[in-house]
Amino acid sequence: MLRVSSPVLGQWLGALCLLGGYFHPASAATTEQWKTRSIYQTMTDRFALTNGSTTTACNTTESNYCGGTWQGTIDKLDYIQGMGFDAVMISPVVKNIAGRSKDGEAYHGYWPLDLYEVNSNFGTREDLLKLSEALHARDMYLLLDVVINNMAYMTNGEDPATHIDYTVFPQFNGSAYFHPYCLITDWNNYTDAQLCQTGDNYTALPDLYTEHTDVQDILMTWSESVISNYSVDGLRIDAAKSLTPSFLPTYVDTVGGWMTGEVMDANATNVCNYQRNYLPSLPNYPLYYSMITAFLNGEPGSLLKEIASINSLCTDVPAMVNFIEDQDVDRWAYMNDDIMLAKNALTFMMLFDGIPLVFQGLEQFIASSNREALWTTDYDTNATLYKLLSTLNAIRKHAISIDSSYINSQTWPIYQGGSELAFWKGAVGRQVIMLLSTQGSNGTAYNLTLPRTYGAGIVVTEVLNCVNYTTNTLSELIVPMDKGEPRVFFPASMMPGSGLCGYNVTNVTHSELRLAAVAHRSSSGSHPVVPFASGFGPVLFLALVAFLSF
Ligand SMILES: *[C@@H]1O[C@H](CO)[C@@H](O)[C@H](O)[C@H]1NC(C)=O
Ligand SMILES: *[C@@H]1O[C@H](CO)[C@@H](O)[C@H](O)[C@H]1NC(C)=O
Ligand SMILES: *[C@@H]1O[C@H](CO)[C@@H](O)[C@H](O)[C@H]1NC(C)=O
Ligand SMILES: *[C@@H]1O[C@H](CO)[C@@H](O)[C@H](O)[C@H]1NC(C)=O
Ligand SMILES: *[C@@H]1O[C@H](CO)[C@@H](O)[C@H](O)[C@H]1NC(C)=O
Ligand SMILES: *[C@@H]1O[C@H](CO)[C@@H](O)[C@H](O)[C@H]1NC(C)=O
Ligand SMILES: *[C@@H]1O[C@H](CO)[C@@H](O)[C@H](O)[C@H]1NC(C)=O
Ligand SMILES: *[C@@H]1O[C@H](CO)[C@@H](O)[C@H](O)[C@H]1NC(C)=O
Ligand SMILES: *[C@@H]1O[C@H](CO)[C@@H](O)[C@H](O)[C@H]1NC(C)=O
Ligand SMILES: *[C@@H]1O[C@H](CO)[C@@H](O)[C@H](O)[C@H]1NC(C)=O
Ligand SMILES: *[C@@H]1O[C@H](CO)[C@@H](O)[C@H](O)[C@H]1NC(C)=O
Ligand SMILES: *[C@@H]1O[C@H](CO)[C@@H](O)[C@H](O)[C@H]1NC(C)=O
């Protein structure tokens, strides 16, 4: 491998690395830092047991605690990192209401009682701190799910309007901290979603009066403390749709760091309006619903229409969070058990603009329930989607590492067929091109001609199968399609350093790869050989880079 670097630049980079190493940020990471990351979401109670057992029963219908812990999560970080994820989102960590109602126990963490105590079912403060440290030791980020819209209270059959004892909430010990009781009747009415509450007559979710500055201050002070105490890198704001919108920018500015807020709505106008006015990031529900239409209803055109609408309405698409499953929506495999369709949707979701998020169990193609205990799968690292995710994370990371503009460059559709879509992301010469099919595993074998790709006579690697193709003199890429499989292309000369198709993960730069490619062409052709050897100074190097760059 050819390595050329400017000594001065090297010292600068060295100094920056040292600074990063010595002063670990006590505050959360920024939006730009988060954009390059890829998130694995766990539900702590259902992810891993302290004793590592994979045979302990967990009856999802009963909705009780099944025993997962932060220590269990620590012990399974290899499993997460093995798929290439560099951030983990965990369930809410605060003390929840105890006991069992008709709705079950608070195993999911969404029934808060006391912000300043941790949920002892998941472990101690020290365990949580150890999890944070273990993640950072692997250069992984910790994304914390926070419930700041409501508390929880079991009324066990009695009307919440009259049967909540507010003095039990240590930080909000009176009804004045809460909105008067009313049940949300119309989720499409945002005012209703903000002023009223969900829950039922067994478990009520008293809705915090988040217009009030006393409530806001308590929530912000707590959020700052939890970020600083556990070195949290970012927050997922649960039920952001139900929070007073004007509170959100105050919260974001005061607490600091990247946050993504849950506004479950298929309508891009509404969701992007939140990004425009209130939050840096949101889970991309409009994209999620249109992926279902495209891949499961066989309407690829609908995805293109939705992308156009998201691009025109959202202010920062690469900061949005992409997913095809989370803890609330149906499992993809439950909706459709053809794993080939899941492979296509997953490929699109991982490589399209945005921060990918995979909810635990998707990699095992679990169909039954999104609350299934993951240990029942034996953490199979040979599972089809586990391996696909590791490849997709690797090519995404590699593309980011050799192209600083990759993350913020917009994905362009370059082809639409009756059952195919192709997209381009990245700078010319190092673009990732994905070709997706909605045919499913019953799809037939045929050759598809992609009209505009990498220029003429370029060798490209299809990274999901490690096969090379050469574009023809018309710059067309002729791709053998079969069984509805997705394809992902990258220039073969840019593959070194990717960790894919026989290449190790190394710190390469685009310039090095370009120079190596030129050297390779020169030595195998009749062109004059560029003098790379000793005495090759930074000035000549920079000139050459300028000459070679597009
Ligand atoms: C799970 O719990 C439900 C409700 O208690 C029960 O009906 C069902 O039989 C249980 N399933 C198993 C496999 O134990
Ligand atoms: C492992 O831990 C779980 C949950 O705490 C428990 O139910 C189970 O009996 C334990 N299994 C073994 C083999 O110790
Ligand atoms: C809760 O109980 C009240 C009073 O009995 C009743 O009017 C209301 O419909 C119940 N709500 C639900 C969600 O069941
Ligand atoms: C709530 O807590 C505050 C501070 O601990 C206390 O002064 C106040 O009396 C409590 N209010 C109620 C209704 O218990
Ligand atoms: C929306 O909900 C609010 C609060 O519940 C209610 O006052 C208002 O009438 C509703 N608007 C519509 C259009 O239904
Ligand atoms: C999306 O929401 C906007 C405004 O909230 C509304 O005007 C529009 O009709 C909605 N679109 C769809 C498809 O429902
Ligand atoms: C991994 O999966 C492949 C096919 O999916 C199978 O042939 C192979 O035996 C599996 N290996 C292990 C170690 O389970
Ligand atoms: C594939 O075709 C077979 C036979 O026609 C059919 O039974 C099966 O449901 C199809 N599979 C999918 C995923 O469409
Ligand atoms: C696709 O093209 C290749 C190369 O021209 C050819 O060998 C192959 O038979 C074609 N496949 C199909 C299914 O037509
Ligand atoms: C693909 O092409 C590159 C560059 O020509 C070559 O180094 C690599 O070995 C090829 N990979 C495969 C799988 O043929
Ligand atoms: C990749 O790294 C391993 C272990 O360091 C080494 O043995 C192997 O030769 C390397 N492979 C390539 C293609 O550089
Ligand atoms: C890449 O560079 C970074 C920062 O200089 C360093 O921490 C890391 O260990 C390097 N990785 C490899 C695989 O060399």
Side-chain angles (χ1 to χ4, degrees):
M1 176 70 51
L2 182 71
R3 288 214 166 258
V4 193
S5 65
S6 150
V8 177
L9 191 65
Q11 278 165 21
W12 261 100
L13 289 174
L16 287 173
C17 289
L18 283 179
L19 284 175
Y22 282 129
F23 304 107
H24 190 77
S27 56
T30 65
T31 299
E32 290 307 310
Q33 288 173 316
W34 269 99
K35 283 179 182 179
T36 67
R37 298 276 164 159
S38 172
I39 306 165
Y40 185 81
Q41 178 191 353
T42 61
M43 181 166 269
T44 303
D45 181 64
R46 303 293 160 94
F47 180 63
L49 298 164
T50 303
N51 62 21
S53 161
T54 56
T55 53
T56 300
C58 175
N59 186 332
T60 54
T61 315
E62 294 204 316
S63 301
N64 290 336
Y65 280 100
C66 284
T69 60
W70 293 316
Q71 181 58 52
T73 304
I74 294 171
D75 296 337
K76 284 285 174 282
L77 291 181
D78 280 349
Y79 173 82
I80 298 175
Q81 206 172 21
M83 283 175 276
F85 292 103
D86 49 15
V88 176
M89 168 177 157
I90 60 173
S91 339
V93 297
V94 305
K95 181 176 182 179
N96 273 221
I97 52 174
R100 178 182 164 75
S101 78
K102 224 178 181 178
D103 301 311
E105 296 175 342
Y107 71 90
H108 38 69
Y110 292 104
W111 292 347
L113 172 65
D114 183 350
L115 298 179
Y116 284 95
E117 296 288 330
V118 297
N119 188 330
S120 59
N121 292 86
F122 303 154
T124 62
R125 289 169 195 277
E126 288 66 35
D127 294 335
L128 181 53
L129 205 51
K130 268 168 60 193
L131 173 56
S132 173
E133 283 165 359
L135 285 167
H136 292 135
R138 293 167 183 254
D139 190 26
M140 295 169 88
Y141 280 172
L142 172 59
L143 179 61
L144 188 65
D145 197 355
V146 294
V147 183
I148 57 172
N149 173 64
N150 55 271
M151 296 283 119
Y153 190 90
M154 282 183 192
T155 56
N156 286 319
E158 304 291 352
D159 188 355
T162 47
H163 282 77
I164 295 177
D165 174 8
Y166 292 96
T167 62
V168 302
F169 303 114
Q171 292 83 42
F172 306 104
N173 63 346
S175 60
Y177 291 104
F178 296 85
H179 285 137
Y181 179 77
C182 56
L183 213 53
I184 296 172
T185 53
D186 178 9
W187 276 101
N188 293 323
N189 175 348
Y190 275 63
T191 312
D192 201 28
Q194 283 151 21
L195 297 181
C196 295
Q197 56 190 268
T198 171
D200 55 28
N201 282 356
Y202 300 94
T203 315
L205 300 176
D207 200 49
L208 285 166
Y209 196 159
T210 48
E211 295 88 334
H212 202 294
T213 52
D214 285 357
V215 173
Q216 295 184 355
D217 289 345
I218 292 168
L219 290 170
M220 294 191 294
T221 302
W222 168 72
S223 301
E224 286 170 325
S225 78
V226 83
I227 286 177
S228 136
N229 289 348
Y230 299 103
S231 302
V232 169
D233 300 289
L235 301 179
R236 180 242 183 212
I237 306 173
D238 182 60
K241 184 179 180 175
S242 293
L243 285 162
T244 306
S246 62
F247 172 43
L248 292 171
T250 310
Y251 184 80
V252 170
D253 290 346
T254 308
V255 174
W258 182 72
M259 301 179 187
T260 189
E262 179 202 19
V263 175
M264 200 195 255
D265 189 333
N267 186 326
T269 305
N270 297 339
V271 171
C272 294
N273 183 48
Y274 267 79
Q275 190 177 44
R276 195 174 291 276
N277 296 302
Y278 308 125
L279 287 166
S281 166
L282 297 95
N284 205 333
Y285 276 101
L287 191 70
Y288 164 74
Y289 288 111
S290 70
M291 282 189 272
I292 294 176
T293 311
F295 294 105
L296 299 187
N297 301 355
E299 296 172 31
S302 69
L303 185 56
L304 297 186
K305 270 172 63 184
E306 193 64 42
I307 289 171
S309 139
I310 290 167
N311 283 340
S312 73
L313 295 166
C314 279
T315 45
D316 193 0
V317 181
M320 301 289 280
V321 172
N322 300 339
F323 61 95
I324 66 168
E325 283 185 1
D326 65 22
Q327 78 286 359
D328 289 330
V329 299
D330 281 338
R331 288 285 192 188
W332 191 271
Y334 173 81
M335 294 190 280
N336 191 305
D337 65 1
D338 185 351
I339 198 165
M340 203 54 84
L341 293 172
K343 282 173 89 168
N344 281 277
L346 201 49
T347 301
F348 173 77
M349 184 283 270
M350 292 290 297
L351 299 179
F352 183 67
D353 311 337
I355 304 166
L357 176 146
V358 166
F359 177 60
Q360 70 168 61
L362 170 56
E363 73 279 10
Q364 302 292 344
F365 206 47
I366 292 180
S368 49
S369 156
N370 51 14
R371 305 294 168 92
E372 200 71 65
L374 187 66
W375 55 83
T376 60
T377 67
D378 220 1
Y379 305 100
D380 180 9
T381 56
N382 192 35
T384 303
L385 298 185
Y386 184 100
K387 290 189 293 190
L388 176 66
L389 282 165
S390 113
T391 303
L392 294 171
N393 269 322
I395 193 66
R396 179 175 183 268
K397 193 170 287 182
H398 184 57
I400 292 168
S401 81
I402 64 168
D403 177 3
S404 58
S405 70
Y406 183 82
I407 272 304
N408 285 318
S409 74
Q410 188 173 311
T411 295
W412 290 101
I414 56 168
Y415 179 80
Q416 181 186 1
S419 54
E420 305 91 357
L421 290 171
F423 297 93
W424 164 320
K425 183 174 174 70
V428 175
R430 48 193 143 150
Q431 71 270 40
V432 173
I433 290 182
M434 56 174 151
L435 172 57
L436 310 167
S437 167
T438 61
Q439 295 190 4
S441 51
N442 279 350
T444 53
Y446 61 105
N447 284 328
L448 187 145
T449 302
L450 277 184
R452 290 180 292 139
T453 56
Y454 293 94
I458 304 291
V459 181
V460 301
T461 302
E462 199 286 291
V463 303
L464 303 183
N465 297 285
C466 295
V467 178
N468 281 350
Y469 300 96
T470 305
T471 56
N472 67 18
T473 53
L474 301 173
S475 303
E476 293 168 337
L477 183 57
I478 298 171
V479 187
M481 300 293 284
D482 197 12
K483 300 185 189 67
E485 287 174 344
R487 310 278 185 226
V488 176
F489 303 98
F490 205 58
S493 61
M494 298 289 140
M495 289 296 290
S498 64
L500 294 169
C501 303
Y503 294 107
N504 283 339
V505 176
T506 51
N507 282 342
V508 291
T509 65
H510 177 237
S511 313
E512 288 164 352
L513 292 172
R514 292 263 316 177
L515 289 166
V518 170
H520 179 74
R521 273 208 294 278
S522 304
S523 61
S524 57
S526 58
H527 305 291
V529 176
V530 185
F532 289 128
S534 58
F536 184 71
V539 176
L540 176 57
F541 169 70
L542 289 174
L544 198 63
V545 169
F547 167 71
L548 289 168
S549 301
F550 286 96

